[in-house]
Amino acid sequence: MQVHATIAEVRAARKAMGVQRIAVVPTMGNLHAGHISLMRQAREHADRVIATIFVNRLQFRPGEDFEKYPRTFAADCAQLEAAGVDHLFAPTEAEMYPQPQTYHVEPPAVQSNILDGEFRPGHFRGMATVVLKLLNITQPHVALFGKKDYQQLMVIRNMVADFNLPIQIIGGETVRAEDGLALSSRNGYLSAAERAEAPRLFQVLSRLVAAVRAGNLDYKQLEQEAMAQLQVHGWLPEYVALRKKLDLQFAPAHDSGLVVLAAARLGSTRLIDNLEV
Ligand code: PAF
């Protein structure tokens, strides 16, 4: 695997790939099996796979975990090599933002101020801005993102469509631990007791999905019950919401393409998860 720290280097490598089909998998590092599954899917869609590792300050709010976000570069490189990734673009902050970023992608409020955006104002603006930069730098034919960040995937799909980028966006299925917990770099923040409790989020969402599939149409009540089930076990739920898969707006009863999304704090760790109905 070739590792590039500068935009000039990765652009030269990209140019040398000529007419080959290129996939990019943007990450913030601290890779786990979910990321590696995206790398392997990327290989199925392309001749050359580029991974990126960049912890993007713009998408963290003051007081969030930007400083303590796990940085595990050597271990990440070993995993990427083993997964057959061809190129890694791992820029410094000075390379990506040599001066403060003045132009930003401003996703529409209807997409970015709801759900996670309500609790992390500005997050999707910072995320979309860096993703647009990474796509411009690597110029892929296809880009892959995990469905665990369902709202992120929706914002990226809409951005790519709105800016007419000739890039296919693929969402990879969430990879889970044996007990159901969705893999996430932030799981590493959990204490042993919290880790034992954490699969409850998946269990609660699974029960809600089963209820909807069984014909329960009282979405508001199902959401409230799910929040209460978390609260009673010491969680601080931010939202549990049944929405339309396509745009994450409110879902009319009987709608077929639904997803339930949730964010909840367990101790000082914020976990998110979702399940398509
Ligand atoms: O999902 C992530 O890891 C990040 O939000 C992304 C897409 C790499 C942008 O920084």
Side-chain angles (χ1 to χ4, degrees):
M1 181 175 73
Q2 291 180 38
V3 180
H4 314 285
T6 68
I7 295 168
E9 274 170 39
V10 75
R11 282 224 162 112
R14 172 69 187 84
K15 199 167 172 197
M17 292 174 206
V19 295
Q20 295 184 93
R21 194 169 159 80
I22 313 302
V24 70
V25 186
T27 80
M28 297 203 300
N30 193 235
L31 303 180
H32 50 65
H35 296 113
I36 299 308
S37 142
L38 289 178
M39 305 296 162
R40 295 198 196 284
Q41 285 174 66
R43 170 63 67 210
E44 289 164 20
H45 291 273
D47 306 309
R48 287 281 171 268
V49 177
I50 307 175
T52 75
I53 295 181
F54 180 64
V55 185
N56 173 41
R57 186 189 290 273
L58 285 193
Q59 70 191 73
F60 290 78
R61 282 176 52 75
E64 289 190 342
D65 56 343
F66 173 74
E67 303 296 346
K68 77 164 182 177
Y69 198 86
R71 288 151 171 94
T72 50
F73 190 69
D76 291 347
C77 285
Q79 289 196 67
L80 293 173
E81 285 266 15
V85 168
D86 303 292
H87 295 263
L88 168 61
F89 175 50
T92 60
E93 226 181 337
E95 181 71 11
M96 285 297 277
Y97 302 121
Q99 54 207 11
Q101 183 78 17
T102 48
Y103 283 74
H104 295 90
V105 176
E106 195 67 68
V110 69
Q111 290 169 24
S112 65
N113 289 1
I114 59 169
L115 305 170
D116 251 37
E118 186 185 337
F119 293 89
R120 304 185 70 192
H123 165 70
F124 289 109
R125 177 188 204 247
M127 180 284 296
T129 300
V130 84
V131 169
L132 183 62
K133 284 168 74 94
L134 290 168
L135 295 178
N136 277 333
I137 291 166
T138 56
Q139 309 235 324
H141 299 91
V142 49
L144 295 92
F145 300 86
K147 281 196 193 176
K148 173 164 169 294
D149 295 293
Y150 210 88
Q151 190 174 2
Q152 166 171 286
L153 180 60
M154 187 263 298
V155 169
I156 292 169
R157 279 192 200 286
N158 284 304
M159 174 184 76
V160 164
D162 245 32
F163 285 121
N164 309 100
L165 302 185
I167 301 173
Q168 181 190 1
I169 301 297
I170 294 178
E173 295 303 325
T174 301
V175 177
R176 298 181 181 280
E178 273 187 16
D179 58 11
L181 178 65
L183 297 191
S184 161
S185 300
R186 293 187 167 101
N187 293 349
Y189 300 153
L190 298 168
S191 69
E194 289 165 349
R195 176 62 189 82
E197 171 60 24
R200 190 176 308 279
L201 186 56
F202 170 68
Q203 291 157 10
V204 163
L205 295 186
S206 302
R207 276 199 292 273
L208 190 154
V209 166
V212 174
R213 286 188 182 151
N216 190 331
L217 296 176
D218 193 343
Y219 298 164
K220 195 84 242 150
Q221 197 205 342
L222 289 172
E223 290 166 1
Q224 282 167 1
E225 279 172 12
M227 303 258 286
Q229 285 163 23
L230 291 168
Q231 251 157 358
V232 89
H233 289 94
W235 295 67
L236 282 177
E238 291 180 349
Y239 63 84
V240 175
L242 256 167
R243 296 292 174 98
K244 288 191 281 176
K245 274 198 273 194
L246 197 62
D247 56 11
L248 303 186
Q249 302 305 304
F250 288 103
H254 294 295
D255 200 291
S256 51
L258 298 182
V259 57
V260 59
L261 309 102
R265 287 185 184 278
L266 187 54
S268 58
T269 306
R270 183 176 189 275
L271 297 178
I272 61 170
D273 201 353
N274 65 77
L275 282 179
E276 291 176 334
V277 178

